[in-house]
Amino acid sequence: MTKKSFLNLTIFSFLLIILAAVSINFNSQTYNFSERDSVFLKNFTKNVNDITLISINSFDNNIDLVKDENSYISTSGYPLKKGIWENLITSLSLLTIEEKKTSDPKRHVELNLLSPELNKSDLESEGYATKITLTKKDGSIFSSILFGKTDPSVGGLSGGQFARMPDDNQSFLLKGAIRMPTSKSDWFESLLFTINNKDFLSASLSNKTKIFKVETDEKILKLSYPKNVNFNVDQSKLTDIRETINGFYFYDVRKSKTKNFVNLPTLTFETTNGLVLSLYSVTKDTKGESWIKINAIAKKAAAKKIAEEITNKTKGFEFLANVNTSDILRWNLKNLAAKNK
């Protein structure tokens, strides 16, 4: 190599080093690497004991958690699953900034960072965030955050998650992700009871007066009231009635305000061990899910334990039932008729 060639190579290498330095400096400003690994919710751990309300808002996960001594409970007063609010608090405290991302509001839909209040549809659609608002005991907002898509490529046990503040278009990719249920019912032990098909004795529907009654006769479900009908009974409808209590889950819960259950649409079940279980529809909706009140009594000593267990879970509350159960509570006698083929 000649002296001139060596000098040219040295100058070229020097220029590459300068360009690399400029590039690093440019990228550090563009992606804000100076904030990498910094805590996303600044001073959260210092203020956590002063936060008395955690509001969560998304399509199927709208719930308020209120401070109750050293823990949080739902506003309904119904107990949360063990450890669930602790997981949320811990995950919020561990969020750190991985990268500074887009500030273009048109791109927020890609990251599921649209404010959930903007979704006016009855259907869940992509693009909308989960909004968490932390309120202090003096009523001031400590922080409100929109959480979007998760990104497993970030690394760590929780991967990463996109987020932004509602009043700021600047988005971030965080290291870590919020840990909480994706639907409201998952905050609770939502299975209230299970009655095996073999224990089913009868079920009747009344709405001011008795509409029909279904009984087990030698392991076959039969319409026992009214005695004579001018149509063929759809056996699958009778099965649907029995399986209403086969595994009863709720989708939402609230404090009961209903005091008079007379003349409400009521499904009453009896089991072979003497349990009498009544489901009262306390809403007048003609479609969709209905709020119901549950009552359990024991006609025999064998049913005392399960009646007490159901009462302990349900007393003082109303529950949002699924559409199938809600529809049965709105049925009349003609709903049991088989369709003509």
Side-chain angles (χ1 to χ4, degrees):
M1 179 180 293
T2 64
K3 185 176 182 181
K4 183 178 180 180
S5 298
F6 178 77
L7 181 61
N8 288 338
L9 182 59
T10 302
I11 293 172
F12 180 70
S13 300
F14 181 69
L15 288 173
L16 285 178
I17 293 171
I18 292 175
L19 287 172
V22 170
S23 176
I24 291 172
N25 184 60
F26 174 77
N27 283 323
S28 67
Q29 293 176 359
T30 303
Y31 296 103
N32 208 15
F33 282 114
S34 63
E35 292 186 50
R36 176 171 284 174
D37 294 329
S38 63
V39 175
F40 182 61
L41 289 177
K42 293 178 173 56
N43 298 317
F44 175 64
T45 54
K46 293 181 180 179
N47 287 274
V48 68
N49 290 329
D50 197 33
I51 293 171
T52 56
L53 175 64
I54 303 174
S55 299
I56 297 153
N57 179 221
S58 66
F59 179 79
D60 194 31
N61 199 358
N62 297 300
I63 187 170
D64 287 336
L65 309 179
V66 294
K67 193 74 173 287
D68 181 40
E69 296 182 353
N70 294 320
S71 65
Y72 287 90
I73 61 172
S74 74
T75 50
S76 69
Y78 201 83
L80 300 172
K81 283 181 181 177
K82 186 177 180 181
I84 203 161
W85 68 264
E86 293 94 334
N87 285 339
L88 174 59
I89 293 291
T90 300
S91 64
L92 286 171
S93 68
L94 295 176
L95 295 172
T96 58
I97 296 174
E98 180 73 8
E99 287 185 33
K100 194 174 183 180
K101 305 301 285 187
T102 182
S103 60
D104 182 358
K106 293 180 181 179
R107 294 187 58 199
H108 289 161
V109 66
E110 301 172 23
L111 305 177
N112 287 3
L113 287 178
L114 295 177
S115 179
E117 293 92 341
L118 298 176
N119 187 5
K120 304 302 180 183
S121 171
D122 291 334
L123 302 174
E124 186 172 13
S125 19
E126 294 182 358
Y128 294 96
T130 293
K131 184 178 181 180
I132 297 180
T133 302
L134 308 171
T135 305
K136 300 172 74 172
K137 61 184 177 184
D138 62 3
S140 62
I141 304 295
F142 170 74
S143 187
S144 187
I145 318 103
L146 298 175
F147 290 99
K149 286 183 177 179
T150 56
D151 185 351
S153 68
V154 173
L157 293 175
S158 300
Q161 188 165 19
F162 295 96
R164 71 178 180 92
M165 302 303 181
D167 57 354
D168 191 345
N169 286 326
Q170 181 62 61
S171 62
F172 296 88
L173 175 59
L174 307 179
K175 189 171 185 179
I178 52 171
R179 295 200 301 271
M180 67 175 193
T182 56
S183 63
K184 186 169 184 179
S185 61
D186 289 336
W187 288 90
F188 312 98
E189 298 291 351
S190 58
L191 176 61
L192 290 177
F193 52 82
T194 298
I195 307 297
N196 291 326
N197 288 340
K198 64 180 180 63
D199 297 323
F200 175 87
L201 184 64
S202 68
S204 61
L205 176 65
S206 62
N207 190 350
K208 296 182 180 179
T209 59
K210 187 190 294 185
I211 297 173
F212 59 72
K213 184 174 183 178
V214 179
E215 291 184 321
T216 299
D217 183 9
E218 296 181 354
K219 298 183 180 180
I220 297 174
L221 296 175
K222 292 185 177 181
L223 185 66
S224 60
Y225 178 89
K227 290 290 184 181
N228 299 302
V229 292
N230 58 359
F231 56 79
N232 293 323
V233 176
D234 187 339
Q235 191 66 30
S236 68
K237 297 292 183 69
L238 305 187
T239 300
D240 289 342
I241 294 168
R242 180 186 64 187
E243 292 187 350
T244 297
I245 58 171
N246 189 247
F248 193 93
Y249 293 84
F250 66 86
Y251 296 87
D252 201 351
V253 57
R254 67 187 185 188
K255 290 179 182 178
S256 180
K257 296 180 180 179
T258 307
K259 296 181 179 180
N260 185 6
F261 299 100
V262 177
N263 295 331
L264 290 177
T266 307
L267 265 171
T268 302
F269 297 85
E270 290 194 41
T271 66
T272 54
N273 66 352
L275 175 69
V276 179
L277 190 62
S278 297
L279 313 180
Y280 304 91
S281 176
V282 299
T283 50
K284 298 180 180 180
D285 296 339
T286 57
K287 60 180 181 179
E289 299 162 333
S290 296
W291 288 92
I292 66 168
K293 175 71 177 169
I294 299 171
N295 185 59
I297 60 173
K299 290 174 64 176
K300 300 178 182 177
K304 184 178 179 180
K305 182 178 178 181
I306 188 171
E308 288 177 349
E309 288 176 353
I310 295 173
T311 298
N312 290 338
K313 289 182 180 180
T314 62
K315 187 176 182 181
F317 298 99
E318 294 171 3
F319 303 90
L320 192 64
N322 62 34
V323 173
N324 290 338
T325 300
S326 301
D327 281 344
I328 292 172
L329 280 159
R330 292 188 284 259
W331 277 1
N332 54 46
L333 187 60
K334 292 181 179 179
N335 288 105
L336 301 181
K339 293 182 180 180
N340 295 324
K341 295 183 179 179

